[in-house]
Amino acid sequence: MAKSRTSEAAALVAAIAHALHGAIGVTEEYDLQLLTRRLHEWRVAHGSEAHWNLLIGHDVLASDMSLVDFVRSV
């Protein structure tokens, strides 16, 4: 679940950072473009949020526990 949530947040954080810095964030002089590129690579590494949401959703539906109990047990 943590991988899914952090991958979702990564896209939002990158968008806010570029909006805050404007077009200067995509130039080679600033590290923001490097960090954003790495952030998007790490976001898809070991499965994207869509992949993990699908797996977790199947596990939740297959479980006989309530959602709260399932989250606590993971």
Side-chain angles (χ1 to χ4, degrees):
M1 281 191 223
K3 168 73 168 110
S4 173
R5 295 298 295 166
T6 54
S7 293
E8 289 174 6
L12 182 60
V13 167
I16 290 171
H18 281 278
L20 181 67
H21 293 287
I24 205 159
V26 295
T27 60
E28 289 186 18
E29 295 96 23
Y30 294 94
D31 291 338
L32 181 58
Q33 53 94 15
L34 294 173
L35 298 172
T36 301
R37 192 174 309 139
R38 288 184 187 152
L39 187 67
H40 287 298
E41 289 172 4
W42 293 334
R43 185 177 164 208
V44 224
H46 307 293
S48 67
E49 62 268 16
H51 168 75
W52 286 106
N53 286 341
L54 184 66
L55 286 178
I56 292 169
H58 284 299
D59 289 347
V60 168
L61 292 175
S63 172
D64 59 345
M65 294 185 272
S66 70
L67 182 59
V68 172
D69 292 334
F70 181 84
V71 171
R72 287 179 181 160
S73 70
V74 176

mmCIF file of all heavy atoms in Angstrom, residues 6-54:
data_model
loop_
_atom_site.group_PDB
_atom_site.id
_atom_site.type_symbol
_atom_site.label_atom_id
_atom_site.label_comp_id
_atom_site.label_asym_id
_atom_site.label_seq_id
_atom_site.Cartn_x
_atom_site.Cartn_y
_atom_site.Cartn_z
ATOM 1 N N THR A 6 2.764 6.338 -2.319
ATOM 2 C CA THR A 6 3.894 7.213 -2.613
ATOM 3 C C THR A 6 4.046 7.444 -4.109
ATOM 4 O O THR A 6 4.457 8.525 -4.530
ATOM 5 C CB THR A 6 5.211 6.654 -2.035
ATOM 6 O OG1 THR A 6 5.401 5.318 -2.506
ATOM 7 C CG2 THR A 6 5.192 6.677 -0.530
ATOM 8 N N SER A 7 3.704 6.452 -4.926
ATOM 9 C CA SER A 7 3.754 6.651 -6.372
ATOM 10 C C SER A 7 2.722 7.673 -6.825
ATOM 11 O O SER A 7 2.983 8.478 -7.719
ATOM 12 C CB SER A 7 3.526 5.322 -7.100
ATOM 13 O OG SER A 7 4.595 4.450 -6.875
ATOM 14 N N GLU A 8 1.550 7.639 -6.210
ATOM 15 C CA GLU A 8 0.532 8.640 -6.530
ATOM 16 C C GLU A 8 0.996 10.033 -6.115
ATOM 17 O O GLU A 8 0.810 11.009 -6.840
ATOM 18 C CB GLU A 8 -0.779 8.308 -5.819
ATOM 19 C CG GLU A 8 -1.493 7.095 -6.367
ATOM 20 C CD GLU A 8 -2.701 6.710 -5.537
ATOM 21 O OE1 GLU A 8 -3.064 7.449 -4.596
ATOM 22 O OE2 GLU A 8 -3.295 5.668 -5.832
ATOM 23 N N ALA A 9 1.599 10.122 -4.942
ATOM 24 C CA ALA A 9 2.066 11.415 -4.438
ATOM 25 C C ALA A 9 3.234 11.949 -5.254
ATOM 26 O O ALA A 9 3.388 13.169 -5.392
ATOM 27 C CB ALA A 9 2.465 11.286 -2.978
ATOM 28 N N ALA A 10 4.058 11.073 -5.806
ATOM 29 C CA ALA A 10 5.234 11.505 -6.571
ATOM 30 C C ALA A 10 4.841 12.357 -7.772
ATOM 31 O O ALA A 10 5.484 13.377 -8.050
ATOM 32 C CB ALA A 10 6.027 10.289 -7.029
ATOM 33 N N ALA A 11 3.811 11.964 -8.474
ATOM 34 C CA ALA A 11 3.367 12.745 -9.630
ATOM 35 C C ALA A 11 2.877 14.120 -9.199
ATOM 36 O O ALA A 11 3.170 15.129 -9.859
ATOM 37 C CB ALA A 11 2.269 11.992 -10.368
ATOM 38 N N LEU A 12 2.161 14.177 -8.108
ATOM 39 C CA LEU A 12 1.650 15.447 -7.601
ATOM 40 C C LEU A 12 2.795 16.349 -7.133
ATOM 41 O O LEU A 12 2.812 17.550 -7.426
ATOM 42 C CB LEU A 12 0.664 15.201 -6.463
ATOM 43 C CG LEU A 12 -0.006 16.416 -5.853
ATOM 44 C CD1 LEU A 12 -0.808 17.174 -6.900
ATOM 45 C CD2 LEU A 12 -0.896 16.003 -4.707
ATOM 46 N N VAL A 13 3.748 15.787 -6.435
ATOM 47 C CA VAL A 13 4.890 16.559 -5.947
ATOM 48 C C VAL A 13 5.691 17.133 -7.120
ATOM 49 O O VAL A 13 6.081 18.307 -7.101
ATOM 50 C CB VAL A 13 5.792 15.686 -5.044
ATOM 51 C CG1 VAL A 13 7.126 16.342 -4.776
ATOM 52 C CG2 VAL A 13 5.077 15.382 -3.743
ATOM 53 N N ALA A 14 5.935 16.323 -8.143
ATOM 54 C CA ALA A 14 6.678 16.799 -9.313
ATOM 55 C C ALA A 14 5.925 17.924 -10.026
ATOM 56 O O ALA A 14 6.525 18.929 -10.439
ATOM 57 C CB ALA A 14 6.942 15.652 -10.278
ATOM 58 N N ALA A 15 4.633 17.775 -10.156
ATOM 59 C CA ALA A 15 3.833 18.807 -10.819
ATOM 60 C C ALA A 15 3.853 20.115 -10.038
ATOM 61 O O ALA A 15 3.988 21.200 -10.622
ATOM 62 C CB ALA A 15 2.396 18.315 -11.000
ATOM 63 N N ILE A 16 3.751 20.022 -8.729
ATOM 64 C CA ILE A 16 3.779 21.227 -7.891
ATOM 65 C C ILE A 16 5.150 21.888 -7.956
ATOM 66 O O ILE A 16 5.258 23.116 -8.059
ATOM 67 C CB ILE A 16 3.391 20.889 -6.438
ATOM 68 C CG1 ILE A 16 1.907 20.529 -6.363
ATOM 69 C CG2 ILE A 16 3.710 22.052 -5.505
ATOM 70 C CD1 ILE A 16 1.469 19.985 -5.026
ATOM 71 N N ALA A 17 6.210 21.083 -7.928
ATOM 72 C CA ALA A 17 7.564 21.643 -7.991
ATOM 73 C C ALA A 17 7.795 22.386 -9.293
ATOM 74 O O ALA A 17 8.372 23.478 -9.315
ATOM 75 C CB ALA A 17 8.598 20.529 -7.822
ATOM 76 N N HIS A 18 7.337 21.817 -10.397
ATOM 77 C CA HIS A 18 7.516 22.492 -11.693
ATOM 78 C C HIS A 18 6.626 23.719 -11.808
ATOM 79 O O HIS A 18 7.016 24.715 -12.414
ATOM 80 C CB HIS A 18 7.275 21.513 -12.839
ATOM 81 C CG HIS A 18 8.452 20.632 -13.085
ATOM 82 N ND1 HIS A 18 9.535 21.029 -13.818
ATOM 83 C CD2 HIS A 18 8.722 19.382 -12.663
ATOM 84 C CE1 HIS A 18 10.424 20.055 -13.855
ATOM 85 N NE2 HIS A 18 9.951 19.046 -13.153
ATOM 86 N N ALA A 19 5.442 23.671 -11.225
ATOM 87 C CA ALA A 19 4.574 24.841 -11.246
ATOM 88 C C ALA A 19 5.166 25.962 -10.404
ATOM 89 O O ALA A 19 5.106 27.143 -10.781
ATOM 90 C CB ALA A 19 3.186 24.481 -10.723
ATOM 91 N N LEU A 20 5.778 25.584 -9.300
ATOM 92 C CA LEU A 20 6.387 26.570 -8.418
ATOM 93 C C LEU A 20 7.591 27.250 -9.066
ATOM 94 O O LEU A 20 7.763 28.457 -8.974
ATOM 95 C CB LEU A 20 6.813 25.894 -7.113
ATOM 96 C CG LEU A 20 7.457 26.776 -6.063
ATOM 97 C CD1 LEU A 20 6.440 27.770 -5.523
ATOM 98 C CD2 LEU A 20 7.994 25.926 -4.931
ATOM 99 N N HIS A 21 8.409 26.466 -9.748
ATOM 100 C CA HIS A 21 9.627 27.007 -10.357
ATOM 101 C C HIS A 21 9.433 27.473 -11.791
ATOM 102 O O HIS A 21 10.334 28.089 -12.360
ATOM 103 C CB HIS A 21 10.740 25.969 -10.300
ATOM 104 C CG HIS A 21 11.196 25.684 -8.902
ATOM 105 N ND1 HIS A 21 11.948 26.568 -8.185
ATOM 106 C CD2 HIS A 21 10.968 24.621 -8.093
ATOM 107 C CE1 HIS A 21 12.193 26.062 -6.977
ATOM 108 N NE2 HIS A 21 11.594 24.886 -6.899
ATOM 109 N N GLY A 22 8.312 27.165 -12.366
ATOM 110 C CA GLY A 22 8.040 27.588 -13.732
ATOM 111 C C GLY A 22 8.920 26.857 -14.732
ATOM 112 O O GLY A 22 9.430 25.778 -14.478
ATOM 113 N N ALA A 23 9.125 27.461 -15.869
ATOM 114 C CA ALA A 23 9.879 26.822 -16.947
ATOM 115 C C ALA A 23 11.342 26.611 -16.603
ATOM 116 O O ALA A 23 12.025 25.808 -17.227
ATOM 117 C CB ALA A 23 9.761 27.643 -18.225
ATOM 118 N N ILE A 24 11.849 27.317 -15.606
ATOM 119 C CA ILE A 24 13.259 27.173 -15.255
ATOM 120 C C ILE A 24 13.547 25.774 -14.696
ATOM 121 O O ILE A 24 14.689 25.315 -14.719
ATOM 122 C CB ILE A 24 13.699 28.284 -14.280
ATOM 123 C CG1 ILE A 24 15.186 28.509 -14.403
ATOM 124 C CG2 ILE A 24 13.302 27.957 -12.866
ATOM 125 C CD1 ILE A 24 15.626 29.853 -13.907
ATOM 126 N N GLY A 25 12.543 25.078 -14.235
ATOM 127 C CA GLY A 25 12.725 23.741 -13.683
ATOM 128 C C GLY A 25 13.044 22.681 -14.706
ATOM 129 O O GLY A 25 13.462 21.583 -14.353
ATOM 130 N N VAL A 26 12.848 22.964 -15.986
ATOM 131 C CA VAL A 26 13.142 21.973 -17.017
ATOM 132 C C VAL A 26 14.468 22.250 -17.717
ATOM 133 O O VAL A 26 14.863 21.512 -18.602
ATOM 134 C CB VAL A 26 12.009 21.888 -18.068
ATOM 135 C CG1 VAL A 26 10.735 21.375 -17.432
ATOM 136 C CG2 VAL A 26 11.772 23.220 -18.743
ATOM 137 N N THR A 27 15.170 23.291 -17.328
ATOM 138 C CA THR A 27 16.456 23.591 -17.944
ATOM 139 C C THR A 27 17.547 22.737 -17.327
ATOM 140 O O THR A 27 17.422 22.238 -16.206
ATOM 141 C CB THR A 27 16.820 25.081 -17.774
ATOM 142 O OG1 THR A 27 16.896 25.362 -16.374
ATOM 143 C CG2 THR A 27 15.782 25.979 -18.420
ATOM 144 N N GLU A 28 18.645 22.583 -18.043
ATOM 145 C CA GLU A 28 19.737 21.746 -17.564
ATOM 146 C C GLU A 28 20.518 22.372 -16.417
ATOM 147 O O GLU A 28 21.250 21.676 -15.715
ATOM 148 C CB GLU A 28 20.681 21.413 -18.720
ATOM 149 C CG GLU A 28 20.085 20.455 -19.727
ATOM 150 C CD GLU A 28 21.094 20.026 -20.773
ATOM 151 O OE1 GLU A 28 22.307 20.176 -20.543
ATOM 152 O OE2 GLU A 28 20.648 19.542 -21.818
ATOM 153 N N GLU A 29 20.400 23.667 -16.218
ATOM 154 C CA GLU A 29 21.155 24.318 -15.148
ATOM 155 C C GLU A 29 20.643 23.960 -13.753
ATOM 156 O O GLU A 29 21.360 24.098 -12.771
ATOM 157 C CB GLU A 29 21.121 25.845 -15.288
ATOM 158 C CG GLU A 29 21.825 26.361 -16.529
ATOM 159 C CD GLU A 29 20.851 26.598 -17.666
ATOM 160 O OE1 GLU A 29 19.659 26.795 -17.404
ATOM 161 O OE2 GLU A 29 21.296 26.560 -18.818
ATOM 162 N N TYR A 30 19.417 23.525 -13.661
ATOM 163 C CA TYR A 30 18.812 23.233 -12.361
ATOM 164 C C TYR A 30 18.557 21.734 -12.215
ATOM 165 O O TYR A 30 18.215 21.050 -13.170
ATOM 166 C CB TYR A 30 17.517 24.029 -12.186
ATOM 167 C CG TYR A 30 17.780 25.512 -12.116
ATOM 168 C CD1 TYR A 30 17.710 26.307 -13.240
ATOM 169 C CD2 TYR A 30 18.143 26.103 -10.912
ATOM 170 C CE1 TYR A 30 17.990 27.669 -13.177
ATOM 171 C CE2 TYR A 30 18.426 27.456 -10.839
ATOM 172 C CZ TYR A 30 18.343 28.226 -11.964
ATOM 173 O OH TYR A 30 18.624 29.563 -11.893
ATOM 174 N N ASP A 31 18.738 21.239 -11.012
ATOM 175 C CA ASP A 31 18.609 19.804 -10.750
ATOM 176 C C ASP A 31 17.169 19.308 -10.718
ATOM 177 O O ASP A 31 16.948 18.106 -10.652
ATOM 178 C CB ASP A 31 19.287 19.450 -9.425
ATOM 179 C CG ASP A 31 20.789 19.578 -9.497
ATOM 180 O OD1 ASP A 31 21.336 19.528 -10.611
ATOM 181 O OD2 ASP A 31 21.414 19.727 -8.425
ATOM 182 N N LEU A 32 16.219 20.211 -10.764
ATOM 183 C CA LEU A 32 14.819 19.784 -10.695
ATOM 184 C C LEU A 32 14.470 18.839 -11.832
ATOM 185 O O LEU A 32 13.771 17.848 -11.623
ATOM 186 C CB LEU A 32 13.881 21.002 -10.699
ATOM 187 C CG LEU A 32 12.388 20.691 -10.603
ATOM 188 C CD1 LEU A 32 12.080 19.888 -9.345
ATOM 189 C CD2 LEU A 32 11.582 21.975 -10.618
ATOM 190 N N GLN A 33 14.967 19.095 -13.010
ATOM 191 C CA GLN A 33 14.664 18.215 -14.143
ATOM 192 C C GLN A 33 15.261 16.824 -13.926
ATOM 193 O O GLN A 33 14.653 15.823 -14.270
ATOM 194 C CB GLN A 33 15.115 18.828 -15.469
ATOM 195 C CG GLN A 33 16.559 19.269 -15.535
ATOM 196 C CD GLN A 33 17.499 18.218 -16.099
ATOM 197 O OE1 GLN A 33 17.056 17.258 -16.704
ATOM 198 N NE2 GLN A 33 18.781 18.413 -15.885
ATOM 199 N N LEU A 34 16.442 16.737 -13.309
ATOM 200 C CA LEU A 34 17.047 15.438 -13.008
ATOM 201 C C LEU A 34 16.238 14.693 -11.952
ATOM 202 O O LEU A 34 15.975 13.492 -12.078
ATOM 203 C CB LEU A 34 18.483 15.611 -12.504
ATOM 204 C CG LEU A 34 19.499 16.161 -13.478
ATOM 205 C CD1 LEU A 34 20.815 16.431 -12.776
ATOM 206 C CD2 LEU A 34 19.691 15.197 -14.627
ATOM 207 N N LEU A 35 15.853 15.418 -10.917
ATOM 208 C CA LEU A 35 15.089 14.796 -9.843
ATOM 209 C C LEU A 35 13.717 14.330 -10.325
ATOM 210 O O LEU A 35 13.242 13.265 -9.939
ATOM 211 C CB LEU A 35 14.940 15.770 -8.676
ATOM 212 C CG LEU A 35 16.256 16.189 -8.018
ATOM 213 C CD1 LEU A 35 16.006 17.298 -7.004
ATOM 214 C CD2 LEU A 35 16.941 15.013 -7.386
ATOM 215 N N THR A 36 13.102 15.122 -11.195
ATOM 216 C CA THR A 36 11.792 14.740 -11.721
ATOM 217 C C THR A 36 11.903 13.503 -12.593
ATOM 218 O O THR A 36 11.075 12.590 -12.506
ATOM 219 C CB THR A 36 11.182 15.893 -12.535
ATOM 220 O OG1 THR A 36 11.068 17.024 -11.690
ATOM 221 C CG2 THR A 36 9.815 15.520 -13.072
ATOM 222 N N ARG A 37 12.936 13.435 -13.400
ATOM 223 C CA ARG A 37 13.131 12.270 -14.257
ATOM 224 C C ARG A 37 13.337 11.013 -13.403
ATOM 225 O O ARG A 37 12.738 9.971 -13.666
ATOM 226 C CB ARG A 37 14.342 12.499 -15.162
ATOM 227 C CG ARG A 37 14.434 11.484 -16.273
ATOM 228 C CD ARG A 37 15.542 11.797 -17.248
ATOM 229 N NE ARG A 37 15.466 13.173 -17.701
ATOM 230 C CZ ARG A 37 16.537 13.955 -17.854
ATOM 231 N NH1 ARG A 37 17.734 13.509 -17.588
ATOM 232 N NH2 ARG A 37 16.404 15.188 -18.294
ATOM 233 N N ARG A 38 14.162 11.116 -12.378
ATOM 234 C CA ARG A 38 14.385 9.974 -11.482
ATOM 235 C C ARG A 38 13.122 9.602 -10.719
ATOM 236 O O ARG A 38 12.830 8.426 -10.512
ATOM 237 C CB ARG A 38 15.500 10.294 -10.501
ATOM 238 C CG ARG A 38 16.846 10.306 -11.134
ATOM 239 C CD ARG A 38 17.924 10.537 -10.111
ATOM 240 N NE ARG A 38 19.194 10.705 -10.774
ATOM 241 C CZ ARG A 38 20.184 11.411 -10.283
ATOM 242 N NH1 ARG A 38 20.053 12.009 -9.108
ATOM 243 N NH2 ARG A 38 21.316 11.514 -10.938
ATOM 244 N N LEU A 39 12.389 10.602 -10.311
ATOM 245 C CA LEU A 39 11.154 10.356 -9.574
ATOM 246 C C LEU A 39 10.177 9.542 -10.408
ATOM 247 O O LEU A 39 9.575 8.588 -9.918
ATOM 248 C CB LEU A 39 10.524 11.692 -9.170
ATOM 249 C CG LEU A 39 9.324 11.661 -8.267
ATOM 250 C CD1 LEU A 39 9.727 11.148 -6.894
ATOM 251 C CD2 LEU A 39 8.727 13.039 -8.145
ATOM 252 N N HIS A 40 10.044 9.879 -11.680
ATOM 253 C CA HIS A 40 9.128 9.130 -12.546
ATOM 254 C C HIS A 40 9.658 7.732 -12.856
ATOM 255 O O HIS A 40 8.873 6.798 -13.020
ATOM 256 C CB HIS A 40 8.841 9.907 -13.822
ATOM 257 C CG HIS A 40 7.940 11.083 -13.595
ATOM 258 N ND1 HIS A 40 6.646 10.950 -13.138
ATOM 259 C CD2 HIS A 40 8.144 12.415 -13.734
ATOM 260 C CE1 HIS A 40 6.098 12.145 -13.017
ATOM 261 N NE2 HIS A 40 6.988 13.043 -13.364
ATOM 262 N N GLU A 41 10.977 7.569 -12.919
ATOM 263 C CA GLU A 41 11.538 6.234 -13.117
ATOM 264 C C GLU A 41 11.297 5.365 -11.892
ATOM 265 O O GLU A 41 10.927 4.195 -12.013
ATOM 266 C CB GLU A 41 13.044 6.330 -13.388
ATOM 267 C CG GLU A 41 13.382 6.895 -14.736
ATOM 268 C CD GLU A 41 14.870 7.163 -14.908
ATOM 269 O OE1 GLU A 41 15.659 6.827 -13.992
ATOM 270 O OE2 GLU A 41 15.242 7.701 -15.955
ATOM 271 N N TRP A 42 11.506 5.926 -10.711
ATOM 272 C CA TRP A 42 11.284 5.172 -9.480
ATOM 273 C C TRP A 42 9.810 4.877 -9.272
ATOM 274 O O TRP A 42 9.453 3.868 -8.667
ATOM 275 C CB TRP A 42 11.814 5.939 -8.278
ATOM 276 C CG TRP A 42 13.293 6.089 -8.254
ATOM 277 C CD1 TRP A 42 14.214 5.271 -8.835
ATOM 278 C CD2 TRP A 42 14.037 7.128 -7.622
ATOM 279 N NE1 TRP A 42 15.476 5.752 -8.608
ATOM 280 C CE2 TRP A 42 15.403 6.888 -7.859
ATOM 281 C CE3 TRP A 42 13.676 8.249 -6.881
ATOM 282 C CZ2 TRP A 42 16.402 7.706 -7.372
ATOM 283 C CZ3 TRP A 42 14.680 9.062 -6.406
ATOM 284 C CH2 TRP A 42 16.028 8.787 -6.641
ATOM 285 N N ARG A 43 8.974 5.734 -9.798
ATOM 286 C CA ARG A 43 7.528 5.560 -9.650
ATOM 287 C C ARG A 43 7.063 4.280 -10.336
ATOM 288 O O ARG A 43 6.204 3.576 -9.841
ATOM 289 C CB ARG A 43 6.836 6.773 -10.258
ATOM 290 C CG ARG A 43 5.369 6.793 -10.083
ATOM 291 C CD ARG A 43 4.816 8.076 -10.666
ATOM 292 N NE ARG A 43 3.399 7.941 -10.836
ATOM 293 C CZ ARG A 43 2.714 8.577 -11.742
ATOM 294 N NH1 ARG A 43 3.321 9.414 -12.553
ATOM 295 N NH2 ARG A 43 1.420 8.417 -11.831
ATOM 296 N N VAL A 44 7.658 3.952 -11.473
ATOM 297 C CA VAL A 44 7.239 2.765 -12.213
ATOM 298 C C VAL A 44 8.059 1.529 -11.846
ATOM 299 O O VAL A 44 7.659 0.422 -12.173
ATOM 300 C CB VAL A 44 7.335 2.981 -13.727
ATOM 301 C CG1 VAL A 44 6.128 2.463 -14.433
ATOM 302 C CG2 VAL A 44 7.597 4.390 -14.137
ATOM 303 N N ALA A 45 9.182 1.726 -11.171
ATOM 304 C CA ALA A 45 10.011 0.589 -10.778
ATOM 305 C C ALA A 45 9.243 -0.307 -9.813
ATOM 306 O O ALA A 45 8.556 0.165 -8.915
ATOM 307 C CB ALA A 45 11.290 1.087 -10.119
ATOM 308 N N HIS A 46 9.351 -1.599 -10.020
ATOM 309 C CA HIS A 46 8.689 -2.614 -9.192
ATOM 310 C C HIS A 46 7.172 -2.489 -9.221
ATOM 311 O O HIS A 46 6.496 -2.846 -8.260
ATOM 312 C CB HIS A 46 9.188 -2.563 -7.750
ATOM 313 C CG HIS A 46 10.673 -2.632 -7.629
ATOM 314 N ND1 HIS A 46 11.389 -3.752 -7.959
ATOM 315 C CD2 HIS A 46 11.588 -1.714 -7.252
ATOM 316 C CE1 HIS A 46 12.662 -3.533 -7.776
ATOM 317 N NE2 HIS A 46 12.812 -2.285 -7.349
ATOM 318 N N GLY A 47 6.622 -1.961 -10.292
ATOM 319 C CA GLY A 47 5.178 -1.877 -10.456
ATOM 320 C C GLY A 47 4.626 -0.493 -10.154
ATOM 321 O O GLY A 47 4.998 0.123 -9.168
ATOM 322 N N SER A 48 3.781 -0.036 -11.031
ATOM 323 C CA SER A 48 3.170 1.282 -10.850
ATOM 324 C C SER A 48 2.059 1.196 -9.806
ATOM 325 O O SER A 48 1.704 0.118 -9.332
ATOM 326 C CB SER A 48 2.592 1.783 -12.177
ATOM 327 O OG SER A 48 1.507 0.960 -12.556
ATOM 328 N N GLU A 49 1.499 2.361 -9.492
ATOM 329 C CA GLU A 49 0.409 2.363 -8.508
ATOM 330 C C GLU A 49 -0.810 1.602 -9.007
ATOM 331 O O GLU A 49 -1.524 0.979 -8.227
ATOM 332 C CB GLU A 49 0.052 3.783 -8.087
ATOM 333 C CG GLU A 49 -0.444 4.671 -9.183
ATOM 334 C CD GLU A 49 0.658 5.472 -9.871
ATOM 335 O OE1 GLU A 49 1.831 5.149 -9.734
ATOM 336 O OE2 GLU A 49 0.305 6.431 -10.562
ATOM 337 N N ALA A 50 -1.051 1.625 -10.307
ATOM 338 C CA ALA A 50 -2.187 0.877 -10.860
ATOM 339 C C ALA A 50 -1.994 -0.625 -10.647
ATOM 340 O O ALA A 50 -2.944 -1.348 -10.304
ATOM 341 C CB ALA A 50 -2.348 1.192 -12.341
ATOM 342 N N HIS A 51 -0.781 -1.090 -10.832
ATOM 343 C CA HIS A 51 -0.468 -2.507 -10.631
ATOM 344 C C HIS A 51 -0.712 -2.916 -9.185
ATOM 345 O O HIS A 51 -1.370 -3.928 -8.907
ATOM 346 C CB HIS A 51 0.998 -2.750 -11.009
ATOM 347 C CG HIS A 51 1.528 -4.079 -10.602
ATOM 348 N ND1 HIS A 51 1.199 -5.237 -11.263
ATOM 349 C CD2 HIS A 51 2.345 -4.445 -9.585
ATOM 350 C CE1 HIS A 51 1.798 -6.261 -10.677
ATOM 351 N NE2 HIS A 51 2.504 -5.794 -9.655
ATOM 352 N N TRP A 52 -0.191 -2.143 -8.239
ATOM 353 C CA TRP A 52 -0.341 -2.475 -6.828
ATOM 354 C C TRP A 52 -1.772 -2.295 -6.342
ATOM 355 O O TRP A 52 -2.247 -3.074 -5.508
ATOM 356 C CB TRP A 52 0.632 -1.655 -5.981
ATOM 357 C CG TRP A 52 2.015 -2.181 -6.162
ATOM 358 C CD1 TRP A 52 3.024 -1.610 -6.874
ATOM 359 C CD2 TRP A 52 2.520 -3.421 -5.679
ATOM 360 N NE1 TRP A 52 4.136 -2.414 -6.846
ATOM 361 C CE2 TRP A 52 3.857 -3.532 -6.117
ATOM 362 C CE3 TRP A 52 1.993 -4.445 -4.910
ATOM 363 C CZ2 TRP A 52 4.654 -4.626 -5.811
ATOM 364 C CZ3 TRP A 52 2.792 -5.542 -4.608
ATOM 365 C CH2 TRP A 52 4.104 -5.616 -5.048
ATOM 366 N N ASN A 53 -2.475 -1.292 -6.854
ATOM 367 C CA ASN A 53 -3.881 -1.126 -6.476
ATOM 368 C C ASN A 53 -4.710 -2.332 -6.907
ATOM 369 O O ASN A 53 -5.596 -2.783 -6.179
ATOM 370 C CB ASN A 53 -4.454 0.152 -7.078
ATOM 371 C CG ASN A 53 -3.951 1.389 -6.384
ATOM 372 O OD1 ASN A 53 -3.463 1.333 -5.266
ATOM 373 N ND2 ASN A 53 -4.049 2.519 -7.060
ATOM 374 N N LEU A 54 -4.401 -2.863 -8.088
ATOM 375 C CA LEU A 54 -5.109 -4.040 -8.584
ATOM 376 C C LEU A 54 -4.819 -5.259 -7.706
ATOM 377 O O LEU A 54 -5.745 -5.983 -7.314
ATOM 378 C CB LEU A 54 -4.713 -4.317 -10.033
ATOM 379 C CG LEU A 54 -5.425 -5.458 -10.739
ATOM 380 C CD1 LEU A 54 -6.901 -5.117 -10.914
ATOM 381 C CD2 LEU A 54 -4.783 -5.715 -12.088
#
